[in-house]
Amino acid sequence: MRRLALIALPYLWLLVLFLVPFLIVVKISLSDQALAIPPYTPTLDLSAGWQGIRDWASGLDLENYWFLTDDPLYWKAYLSSLRIAVLSTLLTLMVGYPIAYGMARAPDHWRPTLMMLVILPFWTSFLIRVYSWKAILSQEGLLNQFLLWLGVIHEPLTILNTNTAVYIGIVYTYLPFMILPIYAALEKLDQSLLEAAEDLGCSRLSAFWLITVPLSKQGIIAGCFLVFIPAMGEFVIPALLGGSRTLMIGKVLWEEFFSNRDWPVASAVAVVLLMILIVPIILFQRNEQRNREAEG
Amino acid sequence: MRRLSWFNLTSLTLGLAFLYLPMVILVIYSFNGGKLVTVWAGFSTKWYGALFHDKAFLKAAWITLKVAVISSTVATLLGTMAALVLVRAGRFFGRTLFSGMIYAPLVMPDVITGLALLLLFIAIGLDRGVFTIILAHITFSMCFVSVVVASRLQSFDRSLEEAALDLGCTPLDAFRSVTLPIIAPAVISGWLLAFTLSLDDLVISSFTSGPSSTTLPIKIFSAVRLGVNPEINALSTIMIAIVSTGVITASLLSKRSIARRAREEQEAFAS
């Protein structure tokens, strides 16, 4: 009995506030926009009984999805988000792996401090961390001032409000998500394997590729999912650091909803985004569950 | 003891510099007297003064704090229950769905979650305001809590609990006097995580808030969207200071309690 209550409470909460809302999104993506409150038709009228349900069902169609394929804005935004998410995940991996590796190789008594230093930015407001780059990357910003002073450039670079700024923003804010799982994998790595490889004549570099990388695979996979999936739907970073030509689907959805007030199209955009992400999300969940069961 | 190679030392130094420089610059420039954020015009605390006289900001800060305290507390309760279900309940109908619903919100883009929750609130005729923001925040942060607590439960030695049951404890007593103290650090860090996630959330709050329930991130976002704003620099510095003090204190406390537990266990085995 107590077990049932324990299961039922969080289960019901998530069903009502996580799963049901998605079903509503799917339903509204099949409706038409209307000048009403709420701004879509048809609305389900249960008081009209069976006839009401039939009217409602016959009013649903795939029109909004055809609209998404018609207008190049949408598929361009999906492709551009995909490109930005993939590239910035790889960049984050390239920046994050050496840091995680350095942490795992650091003396034991340094590790808790290093760990805290990597986690601390993660606790600090995401919005503020993105915003902090605005003063650095702008035309008269500190990076340009520094480079002009060094004499590397003679004209200030335009970085803010371009895709480059979006890449920097994603790598910066998601870096701890990449470092921590890789560090967790590297920390467990048995050093004697590397010593054995070296004794058997393996160079340090090939020992790294043949032993360290494969054994930290779980961490790399988890880190890449943790960066790629949210980056794909990112809104804050392109809105603050990107320019008018930065096309990301999270921003399109936001504008469709808040500026155009077209709820059905915004819902269709969300459903397609979710369909793109559902495979990586399931893979991520499988990976986490496997790791958890391997530990237990 | 191993020494750190040059390569590792360089990557650590550069990595940490990359993580911290932008925030350090933000903090320094919050004490800039000039309105132009990139030109240093002498030390001044005037933006802090301006901030404390801005009624709209203070109101938003109060709403944000209220939402964060309530939502993180409920999320910790629900998340701990969910963790117990994930690790302990064994097989039950819909277990895969349940674990999916715990892991999906961790990576789900905020725009989707926000839109979905808003459409739910409208469909059931709930007026948007502080209450709907709280419901939304509980939903996504309980999943973070449950992952943190589940990983602690996983590494937990079940035999301690079985020993308590053998010695005549009721299951509830055993949970209270054995399990809870052991998972307590994870529950506390889960609460802190839920609290900061709630303080920080912009996108989901924007979808689920009403006109009279503007939170701090919504306010900050509209202030900085067009450019750099010195008042926001001051506000950011205050927030960074609070978070750093909190995290450093918490980690020192947990270090001490781990050391104490290790000593107690040693003494128990020695006697």
Side-chain angles (χ1 to χ4, degrees), chain A residues 66-107:
Chain A
W66 297 129
F67 179 65
L68 291 192
T69 56
D70 253 11
D71 192 333
L73 167 78
Y74 297 101
W75 58 262
K76 276 187 183 156
Y78 283 113
L79 281 182
S80 152
S81 301
L82 197 62
R83 198 179 57 232
I84 292 177
V86 168
L87 263 176
S88 47
T89 305
L90 291 176
L91 283 171
T92 316
L93 178 62
M94 274 156 55
V95 176
Y97 201 97
I99 302 175
Y101 188 80
M103 282 171 71
R105 285 307 193 81

Side-chain angles (χ1 to χ4, degrees), chain A residues 3 117 125 131 257 285 292, chain B residues 20 89 99 103 118 200 233:
Chain A
R3 176 170 176 271
L117 284 172
S125 167
Y131 162 68
F257 187 85
Q285 187 233 327
R292 215 183 51 224
Chain B
Y20 282 91
S99 115
Y103 282 100
L118 166 68
D200 199 20
N233 288 0

Side-chain angles (χ1 to χ4, degrees), chain B residues 97-116:
Chain B
L97 177 66
F98 184 74
S99 115
M101 288 193 300
I102 293 287
Y103 282 100
L106 303 183
V107 286
M108 186 67 73
D110 288 346
V111 280
I112 299 184
T113 315
L115 178 71

Side-chain angles (χ1 to χ4, degrees), chain A residues 12-30:
Chain A
L12 283 177
W13 184 286
L14 287 172
L15 273 183
V16 174
L17 282 134
F18 188 72
L19 197 63
V20 171
F22 285 113
L23 301 179
I24 298 177
V25 172
V26 173
K27 190 216 102 184
I28 289 176
S29 74
L30 301 172

Side-chain angles (χ1 to χ4, degrees), chain A residues 2-3 5-7 9-11 13-22 24-25 28 38 40 95 98-114 116-129 131-136 138 140-142 145 168 171-172 175-177 179 191 204 225-226 229-230 232-236 239-240 249-251 253-255 257-258 263 266-267 270 273-274 277 281 284-285 288-289 292-293 295-296, chain B residues 1-5 7-9 11-12 15-16 18-23 25-26 29 37-39 74 78 81-82 84-87 89-113 115-123 128 135-136 138-139 142-143 150-151 154 171-172 189 192-193 196 200 202-203 206-207 217-218 220-221 224-230 232-233 235-236 239-240 243-244 247-248 251 255:
Chain A
R2 202 151 41 215
R3 176 170 176 271
L6 185 69
I7 296 175
L9 200 58
Y11 207 137
W13 184 286
L14 287 172
L15 273 183
V16 174
L17 282 134
F18 188 72
L19 197 63
V20 171
F22 285 113
I24 298 177
V25 172
I28 289 176
Y40 57 85
V95 176
I99 302 175
Y101 188 80
M103 282 171 71
R105 285 307 193 81
D108 287 344
H109 61 278
W110 282 23
R111 286 194 203 165
T113 314
L114 287 173
M116 203 185 71
L117 284 172
V118 171
I119 294 177
L120 191 59
F122 168 77
W123 292 90
T124 317
S125 167
F126 180 83
L127 189 57
I128 289 174
R129 281 187 296 144
Y131 162 68
S132 69
W133 282 93
K134 265 187 119 102
I136 299 173
S138 65
E140 62 280 5
L142 294 164
Q145 286 181 21
I168 295 175
V171 172
Y172 179 67
L175 194 56
F177 292 100
I179 296 177
Q191 292 294 326
R204 285 178 74 172
F225 279 131
L226 284 172
I229 302 171
M232 182 77 198
E234 187 52 60
F235 165 74
V236 177
L240 286 183
I249 201 66
K251 220 173 105 188
L253 193 159
W254 179 282
E255 272 151 22
F257 187 85
F258 285 107
W263 294 17
S267 303
L273 178 58
L274 195 62
L277 291 179
I281 288 176
F284 166 72
Q285 187 233 327
E288 289 300 295
Q289 203 163 11
R292 215 183 51 224
E293 271 150 24
E295 269 169 33
Chain B
M1 188 167 58
R2 277 174 288 145
R3 273 187 46 236
L4 212 51
S5 72
F7 174 78
N8 289 334
L9 200 60
S11 61
L12 276 180
L16 290 176
F18 177 60
L19 279 176
Y20 282 91
L21 258 183
M23 284 192 274
I25 291 171
L26 189 68
Y29 274 83
V37 180
T38 47
V39 183
V74 181
L78 284 170
M81 291 173 77
L84 285 167
V85 173
L86 272 180
V87 180
R91 306 234 159 266
F92 59 89
F93 179 72
R95 189 179 194 282
T96 315
L97 177 66
F98 184 74
S99 115
M101 288 193 300
I102 293 287
Y103 282 100
L106 303 183
V107 286
M108 186 67 73
D110 288 346
V111 280
I112 299 184
T113 315
L115 178 71
L117 280 165
L118 166 68
L119 295 178
L120 169 81
F121 293 144
I122 285 176
R128 280 181 284 163
L135 286 181
I138 293 170
T139 308
M142 70 176 274
C143 302
S151 77
Q154 204 82 53
L172 200 63
S189 49
L192 281 171
L193 184 59
T196 47
D200 199 20
L202 165 73
V203 175
S206 297
F207 277 101
I218 298 178
I220 296 175
F221 181 71
V224 302
R225 193 150 195 192
L226 297 172
V228 179
N229 177 324
I232 301 294
N233 288 0
L235 177 66
S236 310
M239 287 168 78
I240 291 172
V243 168
S244 332
V247 171
I248 293 170
S251 80
K255 212 165 155 184

